[in-house]
Amino acid sequence: MTEPIHDEPHGGALGSRLNWLRAAVLGANDGIVSTAGLVVGVAGATGSRAALLTAGLAGLLAGSMSMAAGEYVSVSTQRDSEMAALAVERRELREQPEAELEELTELLEVRGLSREVAREAAEQLTARDALRAHARVELGIDPDELTNPWHAAWASFLAFTVGALLPLLAIVLPPAGLRLAVTVVCVLAALVLTGWSSARLGEADPRRAVLRNVAGGVLAMGVTYAAGSLLGAAGV
C-alpha cells in the first residue's frame, strides 16, 4: 500500500518562507509601482529621454536604499526583542526552575494534553533543552533561527532593484511614441506575475492578490501622469 505523502509546511519552515516572501514581494512591488509612477509622471511633463532616465535611476537608488534600511531597522528591532525575551527566559530557568516547569506543563495542557501527559512531556523537554522548549512553546521563537536583519535588508534591496528596472527600461528604450504604452503594459504584466507568485507561494487565492497589485499600479500611474501632465501644460 502506498504511503500518503504529507507535504504541508509547518512551524519555522513556513514562518521563514513567509518572512522571505514578504520582504521579496514588498520590495519588488514597491520597486515596480513607485518607479513606474515616477517615470510615468515625468513622461506626462516631458518627453526627454535624459530626464526620464535621470528620474528613474534616482528613484531606483533612493528606493532600494530606503527599503534596505527600513527592513534592516525593522528586523533588527524584532531580533533585539527575541534576544531580550530569551535572556529573560534563561534567567527565569536558572532562578526558578520548578515554576518554569509548571508553566511549561500548563502551556502544554492548554494545547490539549492531559495533566499527566503534559507533565511528562514538560519534564522530557526540560531535560533535553529547557530554553529551547520554553522558547518554542511559550514565546514562539526558535533559538536556532532568529531573524537576520542583513538577510532581510539585502533581499529588499535586490527585490526593489529588480522591480524598479522593469519600468525604467520600459520607459527609456522604446521610441518616444510607444514609451507610455509599453511601460503601462509591462508594469501591469509584472504586477500580475508578482501578485500571482506571492499568492501561490503563500498558498492563498491568487485572484485577490493580483487585483490588489494591478489596482494599486493603475492608481499610482494614473495619479502621477495626471500631475505630470498638468505641470507640463503649466510650463513648470
Side-chain angles (χ1 to χ4, degrees), residues 42-61:
V42 174
T46 177
S48 169
R49 190 187 302 269
L52 292 170
L53 179 60
T54 300
L57 281 176
L60 185 155
L61 293 173

Side-chain angles (χ1 to χ4, degrees), residues 134-224:
H134 280 267
R136 289 177 172 174
V137 177
E138 181 181 347
L139 305 176
I141 298 173
D142 187 341
D144 298 326
E145 296 185 10
L146 296 181
T147 52
N148 189 312
W150 284 109
H151 290 171
W154 276 111
S156 293
F157 177 87
L158 293 174
F160 186 99
T161 300
V162 170
L165 280 174
L166 186 140
L168 174 58
L169 295 176
I171 202 75
V172 299
L173 293 182
L178 297 176
R179 287 174 187 165
L180 189 59
V182 170
T183 301
V184 170
V185 170
C186 289
V187 166
L188 294 183
L191 292 176
V192 168
L193 178 61
T194 57
W196 181 86
S197 299
S198 65
R200 294 301 299 169
L201 288 171
E203 300 182 357
D205 184 356
R207 290 171 296 183
R208 296 180 62 184
V210 168
L211 181 60
R212 286 194 299 264
N213 277 10
V214 171
V218 169
L219 180 62
M221 289 187 291
V223 169
T224 55

Side-chain angles (χ1 to χ4, degrees), residues 85-165:
L86 289 173
V88 170
E89 200 62 40
R90 190 178 290 108
R91 186 182 68 248
E92 290 177 345
L93 285 167
R94 183 175 62 252
E95 295 176 354
Q96 38 191 335
E98 287 301 321
E100 289 298 296
L101 178 61
E102 178 61 26
E103 181 181 35
L104 183 58
T105 301
E106 292 174 355
L107 288 170
L108 292 173
E109 278 189 274
V110 170
R111 297 191 174 194
L113 299 181
S114 67
R115 173 69 185 182
E116 294 75 16
V117 173
R119 183 69 177 191
E120 181 180 353
E123 290 175 348
Q124 292 184 15
L125 289 171
T126 299
R128 179 175 299 175
D129 193 325
L131 179 61
R132 180 172 283 101
H134 280 267
R136 289 177 172 174
V137 177
E138 181 181 347
L139 305 176
I141 298 173
D142 187 341
D144 298 326
E145 296 185 10
L146 296 181
T147 52
N148 189 312
W150 284 109
H151 290 171
W154 276 111
S156 293
F157 177 87
L158 293 174
F160 186 99
T161 300
V162 170
L165 280 174

Side-chain angles (χ1 to χ4, degrees), residues 8-23 78 82 140 142 145-147 201-202:
E8 178 184 358
H10 291 284
L14 177 61
S16 177
R17 188 177 74 175
L18 292 179
N19 282 337
W20 280 97
L21 175 62
R22 175 186 62 85
Q78 179 182 344
E82 292 173 344
D142 187 341
E145 296 185 10
L146 296 181
T147 52
L201 288 171

